[in-house]
Amino acid sequence: MLTNLAIRDVVLIEALELDFGDGLAALTGETGAGKSILLDALGLALGARADSGLVRQGAGQAAVTAGFDLPSGHPAFATLDEAGLAVEPGEALTIRRIVKADGGSRAWVNDQPASAGLLRELGQRLVEIHGQHDDRGLLDARGHRDLLDAFGRLDRAAVATAFRAWKAAAEAHADAEAALDTAQRDQDYLTHAVDELTRFGPEPGEEAILSERRAGMQKGARLAEDLALVNEHLDGSDGALAQLRQAARRLDRLGAEHPLLAEALAALDRAVIEAGEAEEKLGLAGDALAFDPARLEADETRLFELRALARKHRVQPDELAALAADLAGRLAAIEAGGEGLAALAAAEASARAAYLDAAATLSAGRELAAARLDAAVAAELAPLKLDAARFRTRIEPLPDTGWGAAGQDRVEFLISTNPGAPFAPLAKIASGGELSRFILALKVALAEEGGAATMIFDEIDRGVGGAVASAIGERLARLATRAQILVVTHSPQVAARAARQFLIAKAHDGHVTRTSVHALAPAERHEEIARMLSGAEVTDEARAQARRLLEVA
């Protein structure tokens, strides 16, 4: 609620500080005393256009500070959080705004710079101002559905859940359909690629194996001729090894003739053994380096094809096997895509049907709630001198494109001010005084569901008196049990219903005209209400009537 309001140098107000409490507070005073200045000042704090004409003559700037005490779950805190302002939920809010005489304005929320746009957003959540030119609140049809649902205690959670499930199923179906369309455009390519890769049959690591084997066979081809010549020198009857053996046999017969011959024979035996080992190694090497020209050609052909296939598909040779599996999977998905789409379409249809059922249940609840609301508002109209008027809650189905988490209905509050007159939106038919009283009737009937914590009614009693004014005061007091209500009034019946009363007065000292506001003590309230009853001269009869009004309240 609004806890305090400080105003400095705004039009006729030099300096003013007001403290408000909960319940109903009345702002009274003679016509022209400056009651509208208070509302203009509060509007400035709540984001209204910064008009340098509001700056008091001779002052450099005007300043307004409004304080609010709100529960931690109040939507204003979410607005501040979205704007990036560091305000803890449940923390008191202080909104300050200055307007310079030469133009321009600045604003702060809890000493943090804020824009006028943010102040306007906060203002819509903090205060409702209902007056002669009200264009927000109950006159905005966009909020009527929420108000009706709150009045009827209708739970939209099931509809919201069903709507999200339907949209998720529809999105999954659409995504799969788009993916299948794209895949089907690639089906010829996939069929050819899978067939080509399947026939080739690449294996992971195959390139390294082929490359190594090819290199070995190429080396054998280069060494084969040299190895053959070496074998010719060693092998055969005329080869070096045969010659060594023959020499060893001859020397064996002569070895006993001299010690040196024995030593020569031993050396020659060792040479024969080494030459034999060399012959064996050469044989093994020849076997290792042996190659089949046909095999070499086949390995080279497959290696070149493997690398060409990898370049074609822009992958590494070792990735071809995985690519073949992936492409085969995509092809299989296309071939089975019809079945998958059918399942997703069935899921979407089921989710849509569930949403329609939930929305139909909500719509039926709205019809019942609308009937109760129409009756409740009708009961409030006659005492407010609107007995010829009729109220109707119109519920219309939205087109498919308008369906959402809140259902399928458009809700709007309509009135007819005279018998036989057509129903139309409130703002298009009701006059200023009628409009304020219609809003009051609606507020009372709605039990203030979905409204701001602070409401201001500006001269809601204009043009009425007596029993109607008493009815207005009684309903404002009833509404004030659920919200903070400030009412600018000329009606003593309304003022008497207030828990507290502020007197707005204008004084001129011969040089400067100033507007002042102060809270009235009980005796002062009695005198002010008597003045409101009698006019310029307060009579004893007016004082007695004022006493009776205060006692009844």
Side-chain angles (χ1 to χ4, degrees):
M1 68 174 182
L2 177 66
T3 56
N4 55 80
L5 182 65
I7 304 171
R8 181 173 294 276
D9 294 326
V10 175
V11 193
L12 300 179
I13 299 177
E14 189 172 21
L16 176 66
E17 291 189 11
L18 295 175
D19 293 322
F20 299 97
D22 55 6
L24 176 61
L27 304 174
T28 62
E30 295 182 356
T31 299
K35 294 184 288 297
S36 62
I37 299 176
L38 284 178
L39 298 185
D40 289 342
L42 178 59
L44 191 64
L46 300 178
R49 187 174 68 87
D51 186 353
S52 59
L54 291 173
V55 181
R56 187 174 64 88
Q57 187 175 4
Q61 65 181 31
V64 181
T65 303
F68 293 88
D69 187 12
L70 306 171
S72 58
H74 196 280
F77 292 109
T79 300
L80 291 169
D81 184 59
E82 291 174 4
L85 269 66
V87 179
E88 291 295 325
E91 181 181 350
L93 291 187
T94 300
I95 301 175
R96 181 169 179 261
R97 193 175 186 196
I98 63 170
V99 179
K100 296 181 180 180
D102 57 359
S105 71
R106 298 179 64 191
W108 297 264
V109 176
N110 285 19
D111 296 325
Q112 300 173 81
S115 66
L118 176 59
L119 296 192
R120 282 191 291 274
E121 287 188 57
L122 286 174
Q124 292 176 1
R125 289 159 176 75
L126 296 172
V127 178
E128 288 183 17
I129 300 178
H130 302 292
Q132 300 298 308
H133 304 289
D134 185 8
D135 60 354
R136 296 189 304 169
L138 292 176
L139 299 189
D140 187 352
R142 290 174 297 182
H144 291 178
R145 183 171 61 185
D146 292 341
L147 289 171
L148 178 63
D149 290 349
F151 173 79
R153 300 290 194 271
L154 302 178
D155 185 3
R156 300 197 307 214
V159 176
T161 300
F163 181 75
R164 288 192 294 270
W166 172 33
K167 288 305 173 185
E171 184 176 353
H173 183 201
D175 289 347
E177 199 168 44
L180 183 60
D181 286 344
T182 301
Q184 285 176 335
R185 289 196 295 270
D186 298 335
Q187 189 169 14
D188 289 342
Y189 158 75
L190 290 172
T191 301
H192 171 75
V194 169
D195 180 63
E196 180 181 48
L197 290 169
T198 301
R199 283 187 288 105
F200 189 82
E203 295 290 339
E206 184 178 6
E207 182 195 28
I209 295 172
L210 289 172
S211 181
E212 183 178 353
R213 197 161 66 199
R214 172 175 174 262
M217 286 190 290
Q218 286 177 328
K219 185 185 293 184
R222 290 195 306 272
L223 299 176
E225 185 176 348
D226 292 334
L227 287 175
L229 290 174
V230 172
N231 279 325
E232 286 181 10
H233 289 305
L234 284 177
D235 204 7
S237 58
D238 295 329
L241 185 56
Q243 296 289 336
L244 284 172
R245 285 173 178 156
Q246 185 177 359
R249 284 193 297 269
R250 286 181 179 276
L251 190 57
D252 184 48
R253 293 194 294 269
L254 302 174
E257 300 297 329
H258 194 281
L260 289 175
L261 292 175
E263 292 178 9
L265 177 61
L268 192 59
D269 286 340
R270 290 194 299 273
V272 170
I273 293 171
E274 293 290 337
E277 290 181 358
E279 183 183 40
E280 182 182 358
K281 298 295 185 184
L282 285 171
L284 292 174
D287 292 340
L289 293 172
F291 72 97
D292 180 356
R295 178 65 180 273
L296 174 60
E297 183 179 359
D299 281 358
E300 284 187 333
T301 300
R302 183 164 179 84
L303 180 62
F304 295 155
E305 289 180 352
L306 179 70
R307 290 172 175 171
L309 203 56
R311 287 194 299 273
K312 177 180 179 180
H313 291 285
R314 298 180 181 178
V315 297
Q316 294 300 315
D318 283 351
E319 297 172 354
L320 282 172
L323 176 65
D326 178 62
L327 296 180
R330 288 170 57 185
L331 187 59
I334 294 173
E335 293 168 351
E339 296 179 7
L341 276 183
L344 289 172
E348 179 185 356
S350 177
R352 183 178 187 275
Y355 169 73
L356 292 177
D357 286 345
T361 299
L362 179 60
S363 296
R366 283 174 176 154
E367 293 289 348
L368 295 174
R372 290 194 294 110
L373 178 60
D374 292 353
V377 174
E380 299 293 335
L381 294 180
L384 296 175
K385 202 177 179 181
L386 295 168
D387 45 312
R390 292 173 297 157
F391 174 84
R392 175 184 296 171
T393 303
R394 181 170 65 187
I395 302 174
E396 295 179 328
L398 288 167
D400 296 7
T401 54
W403 294 357
Q408 303 169 301
D409 307 309
R410 179 179 183 273
V411 176
E412 185 174 13
F413 299 149
L414 305 176
I415 62 167
S416 169
T417 54
N418 296 296
F423 282 90
L426 281 150
K428 292 185 178 180
I429 287 187
S431 64
E434 288 177 329
L435 181 59
S436 296
R437 280 178 278 144
F438 261 116
I439 290 171
L440 177 59
L442 264 172
K443 283 291 183 185
V444 173
L446 288 167
E448 189 39 27
E449 295 291 347
T454 298
M455 288 183 286
I456 298 175
F457 287 88
D458 183 15
E459 297 189 8
I460 190 174
D461 49 9
R462 175 176 291 186
V464 299
V468 176
S470 294
I472 291 173
E474 188 273 330
R475 281 154 179 78
L476 287 171
R478 195 194 317 167
L479 199 57
T481 62
R482 295 180 291 273
Q484 180 189 44
I485 306 296
L486 304 180
V487 57
V488 176
T489 181
H490 290 285
S491 170
Q493 292 89 344
V494 173
R497 287 281 184 174
R500 60 193 58 82
Q501 186 171 345
F502 297 87
L503 177 62
I504 303 172
K506 183 167 63 176
H508 184 68
D509 62 5
H511 300 285
V512 179
T513 301
R514 294 183 177 86
T515 291
S516 62
V517 182
H518 74 276
L520 297 178
E524 292 174 316
R525 281 196 69 191
H526 176 243
E527 192 67 13
E528 169 62 7
I529 290 174
R531 182 201 64 77
M532 295 171 72
L533 284 165
S534 62
E537 183 179 349
V538 180
T539 64
D540 291 340
E541 183 180 353
R543 291 188 176 93
Q545 179 63 18
R547 187 180 301 107
R548 285 192 292 272
L549 287 175
L550 289 167
E551 289 172 353
V552 170

